[in-house]
Amino acid sequence: MASKLVTIPSNSMIPERDIDKSPILECINLGIQFGGLKAVDDFNLTIGRTEIAGLIGPNGAGKTTVFNLLTKVYQPTKGTILLDGKDTHGMNTMQVNKAGIARTFQNIRLFNAMSVEDNVKTGMENQMSYGMWSGIFRTPKYWKQEKIAHERAMELLSIFHMEDMAQMKAGSLPYGAQRRLEIVRALATNPSLLLLDEPAAGMNPQETADLTALIHQIKDQFNVTIVLIEHDMSLVMNICERIYVLDYGKCIANGAPEEIQNNEFVIRAYLGEEI
């Protein structure tokens, strides 16, 4: 349910229903430079704990670069990222995932030769506590944790009606099912923040409608905050309470969907013309 955006002491805005909670994510003057190119420059973002937020912009605007900064695929040249109030400076990709950020990718990245279940179980690696020797010698501790992982994987797959596909190879799944599997694998890491990079890419209208329902289900059932990059504007406008717009690495607007639809800077960025 949409909630009015209100200002907090840092002069950022979050949904009114989150006013008594600290933001799950804050980016402060975030930037990265590749040679002489500023791919992202002075990017500021604040996300409340119960939000579904969108990040949009023309191709090459820097959207996926922002996701890569959040997940430490790239280390920022400048600025600060606070996850649940904790500075992620110095963290690597695995550490930031363990701290609570999970993502999917614009181009699906599954282990195609592995089973659906095993793909989900790879998302649980940070939660496994047995060591190398336990794995090699198949100790009781290993089998106990494997049993737990199997049960959790099947539980997640059943939530998304994929339990019958558990032993199929991931690469053999239909496109829409591969998209769902990538989301399930991300959820297997127990994130507090889920980043979806163009989840509707390549989907037909029915698959996009199903995805919209799925995103709402994930937010409610898993109590997870969601930020998505998406070019399907009907999906973005229908599902996001707040939208950030990037152009040439800079945030040119942010606000509720109706504000963004009527923002002259956004229209100019997309249409390349004055209004």
Side-chain angles (χ1 to χ4, degrees):
M1 182 181 296
S3 178
K4 181 176 72 175
L5 296 174
V6 295
T7 304
I8 58 176
S10 65
N11 209 32
S12 301
M13 300 186 76
I14 61 173
E16 188 173 31
R17 63 174 179 270
D18 290 337
I19 195 67
D20 60 337
K21 312 174 190 74
S22 61
I24 188 66
L25 177 68
E26 294 179 87
C27 297
I28 305 164
N29 299 326
L30 190 63
I32 187 169
Q33 186 166 328
F34 299 106
L37 173 66
K38 292 182 178 179
V40 175
D41 188 24
D42 281 330
F43 180 68
N44 293 284
L45 170 147
T46 303
I47 303 293
R49 288 184 176 270
T50 63
E51 274 196 83
I52 299 177
L55 183 59
I56 68 172
N59 287 330
K63 304 179 297 296
T64 295
T65 301
V66 168
F67 273 19
N68 285 338
L69 290 169
L70 295 177
T71 55
K72 298 307 178 86
V73 174
Y74 302 144
Q75 293 291 340
T77 305
K78 59 177 288 190
T80 304
I81 300 169
L82 301 177
L83 176 62
D84 200 11
K86 182 178 180 180
D87 192 341
T88 64
H89 178 74
M91 288 187 183
N92 60 32
T93 298
M94 184 174 293
Q95 289 168 333
V96 84
N97 174 251
K98 197 167 186 176
I101 298 181
R103 74 176 291 185
T104 64
F105 294 87
Q106 180 179 348
N107 299 311
I108 297 172
R109 297 187 185 180
L110 296 173
F111 299 104
N112 288 331
M114 291 170 56
S115 72
V116 167
E117 179 185 344
D118 284 342
N119 267 269
V120 178
K121 286 162 69 174
T122 62
M124 304 178 193
E125 288 182 357
N126 280 343
Q127 303 157 50
M128 298 293 190
S129 61
Y130 62 78
M132 180 181 68
W133 294 112
S134 291
I136 292 173
F137 293 107
R138 299 295 196 263
T139 66
K141 185 175 184 179
Y142 166 85
W143 288 115
K144 180 181 179 180
Q145 295 207 21
E146 278 295 302
K147 181 176 183 291
I148 292 171
H150 166 73
E151 290 172 352
R152 178 60 176 158
M154 294 306 295
E155 177 187 12
L156 286 169
L157 289 169
S158 67
I159 290 170
F160 299 106
H161 311 294
M162 297 182 70
E163 66 272 28
D164 292 342
M165 304 176 184
Q167 299 312 313
M168 294 173 61
K169 287 188 176 181
S172 71
L173 297 183
Y175 182 82
Q178 289 190 26
R179 282 281 178 196
R180 292 203 310 278
L181 176 56
E182 195 174 36
I183 294 173
V184 173
R185 183 177 63 183
L187 289 170
T189 69
N190 288 330
S192 53
L193 175 64
L194 178 62
L195 308 178
L196 303 177
D197 194 346
E198 294 196 35
M203 289 188 172
N204 62 41
Q206 183 57 56
E207 288 171 331
T208 301
D210 292 343
L211 175 67
T212 300
L214 179 64
I215 291 172
H216 279 300
Q217 178 188 353
I218 289 167
K219 175 180 173 290
D220 295 338
Q221 188 163 349
F222 291 87
N223 193 31
V224 63
T225 307
I226 297 171
V227 180
L228 62 92
I229 293 171
E230 188 50 68
H231 285 291
D232 186 324
M233 287 299 102
S234 62
L235 186 151
V236 171
M237 296 299 168
N238 285 332
I239 205 170
C240 296
E241 295 175 83
R242 196 225 310 240
I243 300 167
Y244 286 82
V245 187
L246 271 177
D247 191 31
Y248 294 107
K250 287 183 173 288
C251 184
I252 60 171
N254 82 83
E258 58 271 17
E259 296 176 67
I260 296 303
Q261 284 177 310
N262 297 306
N263 185 292
E264 64 176 286
F265 297 106
V266 177
I267 295 170
R268 191 178 302 148
Y270 273 96
L271 300 181
E273 59 187 29
E274 300 283 345
I275 61 168

